[in-house]
Amino acid sequence: MEGNLEEAVGIINELIERIENAHLNIALTGESGSGKSSFINAFLGIGHEDGDAASTRVMETTTSISSYEHPKFPNVTFWDLPDIGTPNFQPKSYLKQVNFSDYDFFFIFSSARFRENDAKLAQEIRQMGKKFYFVRTKVDSDLDNERKAKPKSFNRENVLQQIRKNCSQHLQKVGIEEPQVFLISNFELASFDFPKLLDILGEELPEHKRHVFLLSLPNISEAIINQKKATLQEKIWLKDLTSVLQPFSSLMGMSREDNIAQLQKHLNDYQRAFGVDDASLLKISQESNRSIEELKTFIKSPHLLTIKEDESLSERYAEIFCSLNGGLLATGPYYRKSYKMQLYFLETVADDAKTLLREIWESSV
């Protein structure tokens, strides 16, 4: 507005840097066997038998702090904290012992009723200005048990309402006013309250941390895929805006080959973020009993860079540019071409993720 382009570019670049360097530290606490480890594995897309999986042994009690980095986004870390109330971790000293200030927010887990120590911990967290969320796990098992015990009178919604009511009442008795409890199943993340929990987290996180949080989410619904796509579109737009404000300096020293290599990197990054890269496809292949070749018949992004024997990669990109813009001469400066190409790559990869969700996971239900 003031015509100070240099300052404007500096502000935008600072915002982009904050987004790209943001770290998210998520703490999980709760009694042994409450499903913390299963939640971590499900969120990170790690099988329980994988070497880097969080331990899910029923009788194991967490006596030290364990960290689990996201396999694709190492700046997102889950911290499995010791159970509060054990001899070595009493409520009054717990937050100091577990390095409270290191975490962005807390999940407090239970597979039954929340305990008095859970409520005390929540109150301490609130007093120190951090967010916490009560997570009641294993509701799929509760529903199954209730269905078997009362096959004639079983009502799914009534059972869920009763579980939520019991948890809330117990927390209210120990001093938590209007507690919000999220019912989840670690084996059915797309069901129950998990999507609602993600929405609330997305709203309450700072903008730069919201970006990395959304990218780290598992592809369990088209809504999540759309959220990932929107946050990446915003980042593409911010970077394009800096090119618009300084079109000459941003292109100095960049050869055509450098530009193509940069576009290839963008495509590869999008494929990793949406789980349609080669490593992700291999994992999907193993879990769905479908070959990688079959999976690639459903999607388009692996073929975007495919070139013919008599064609160069540069010519392949020129062909895509023309198909998007009606000819290279109509596209304007390179940064406009790059912007449109990135959006095209992003749209294609996001559509691929939705296709795999429908063809592989939803068809197996």
Side-chain angles (χ1 to χ4, degrees):
M1 290 175 63
E2 298 176 0
N4 189 339
L5 299 186
E6 183 177 352
E7 184 176 352
V9 170
I11 292 172
I12 296 170
N13 284 332
E14 183 180 344
L15 175 57
I16 293 172
E17 185 177 355
R18 288 184 65 202
I19 290 174
E20 292 181 339
N21 296 325
H23 284 76
L24 188 62
N25 293 288
I26 305 169
L28 300 86
T29 185
E31 61 189 347
S32 178
S34 60
K36 292 183 295 177
S37 296
S38 293
F39 178 86
I40 292 172
N41 293 336
F43 194 105
L44 300 183
I46 299 173
H48 296 317
E49 297 178 335
D50 292 352
D52 52 353
S55 175
T56 56
R57 285 180 287 179
V58 176
M59 298 305 294
E60 182 171 300
T61 300
T62 305
T63 57
S64 61
I65 302 173
S66 300
S67 63
Y68 301 91
E69 287 186 353
H70 195 290
K72 293 184 179 180
F73 301 95
N75 48 348
V76 176
T77 305
F78 283 86
W79 298 86
D80 189 359
L81 306 184
D83 184 16
I84 188 172
T86 55
N88 294 327
F89 295 92
Q90 293 299 308
K92 289 185 178 180
S93 59
Y94 183 81
L95 290 178
K96 183 177 181 180
Q97 288 176 283
V98 300
N99 305 317
F100 163 81
S101 60
D102 292 345
Y103 314 114
D104 292 286
F105 59 86
F106 290 74
F107 287 135
I108 303 175
F109 279 76
S110 176
S111 58
R113 292 182 177 180
F114 289 94
R115 306 162 302 167
E116 183 176 355
N117 282 337
D118 296 325
K120 289 180 179 179
L121 176 60
Q123 290 169 333
E124 291 290 331
I125 295 172
R126 177 179 289 164
Q127 289 175 5
M128 295 186 179
K130 297 274 187 173
K131 296 285 186 179
F132 62 88
Y133 306 91
F134 289 109
V135 179
R136 169 61 160 82
T137 60
K138 304 184 180 180
V139 293
D140 52 336
S141 297
D142 294 323
L143 288 171
D144 190 49
N145 292 335
E146 190 71 13
R147 185 184 295 106
K148 292 177 180 177
K150 303 175 183 178
K152 294 182 180 179
S153 60
F154 173 77
N155 183 293
R156 183 180 186 275
E157 293 306 316
N158 287 346
V159 175
L160 293 175
Q161 184 178 357
Q162 188 61 43
I163 294 172
R164 186 177 284 107
K165 181 179 179 181
N166 288 342
C167 290
S168 298
Q169 287 178 340
H170 190 70
L171 288 168
Q172 287 172 340
K173 288 180 181 178
V174 291
I176 302 296
E177 299 179 1
E178 300 182 359
Q180 193 169 18
V181 179
F182 298 90
L183 310 184
I184 72 167
S185 162
N186 291 326
F187 298 99
E188 302 176 37
L189 278 186
S191 305
F192 309 109
D193 292 339
F194 186 69
K196 178 182 177 183
L197 175 60
L198 297 183
D199 287 341
I200 291 176
L201 283 169
E203 293 172 1
E204 295 183 346
L205 283 171
E207 183 64 30
H208 61 298
K209 297 203 173 191
R210 179 177 181 272
H211 174 85
V212 69
F213 171 72
L214 289 175
L215 292 185
S216 71
L217 295 179
N219 288 346
I220 59 174
S221 69
E222 289 198 12
I224 287 178
I225 294 172
N226 286 335
Q227 286 179 310
K228 286 187 179 185
K229 176 182 168 184
T231 195
L232 284 169
Q233 282 177 327
E234 181 179 340
K235 186 178 175 182
I236 292 172
W237 179 81
L238 285 172
K239 287 193 172 185
D240 180 66
L241 184 56
T242 63
S243 299
V244 172
L245 296 176
Q246 50 175 15
F248 299 106
S249 61
S250 65
L251 293 178
M252 288 181 63
M254 290 284 284
S255 68
R256 183 178 180 85
E257 289 71 23
D258 290 335
N259 293 332
I260 290 177
Q262 189 65 31
L263 284 171
Q264 282 185 275
K265 182 181 183 302
H266 289 314
L267 176 58
N268 294 336
D269 288 344
Y270 301 152
Q271 288 174 318
R272 289 183 69 252
F274 285 91
V276 296
D277 57 306
D278 288 342
S280 298
L281 290 177
L282 175 60
K283 191 174 185 64
I284 294 173
S285 171
Q286 294 169 342
E287 294 175 352
S288 65
N289 294 319
R290 301 200 188 191
S291 68
I292 294 180
E293 290 71 23
E294 181 183 1
L295 294 177
K296 287 186 176 181
T297 64
F298 297 132
I299 57 181
K300 298 178 180 179
S301 60
H303 313 295
L304 285 177
L305 301 182
T306 302
I307 57 175
K308 304 171 185 176
E309 292 184 3
D310 58 346
E311 181 183 41
S312 68
L313 187 57
S314 178
E315 290 172 330
R316 175 62 177 142
Y317 274 103
E319 178 186 340
I320 298 176
F321 276 137
C322 291
S323 66
L324 289 175
N325 302 286
L328 285 174
L329 294 178
T331 63
Y334 172 78
Y335 61 80
R336 296 306 304 166
K337 303 174 190 175
S338 174
Y339 174 69
K340 291 184 179 182
M341 182 70 88
Q342 288 181 65
L343 291 181
Y344 174 66
F345 285 171
L346 178 60
E347 182 79 31
T348 303
V349 173
D351 285 344
D352 282 351
K354 293 178 184 178
T355 298
L356 287 177
L357 180 67
R358 289 191 299 266
E359 294 290 340
I360 304 302
W361 305 127
E362 293 183 357
S363 62
S364 64
V365 177

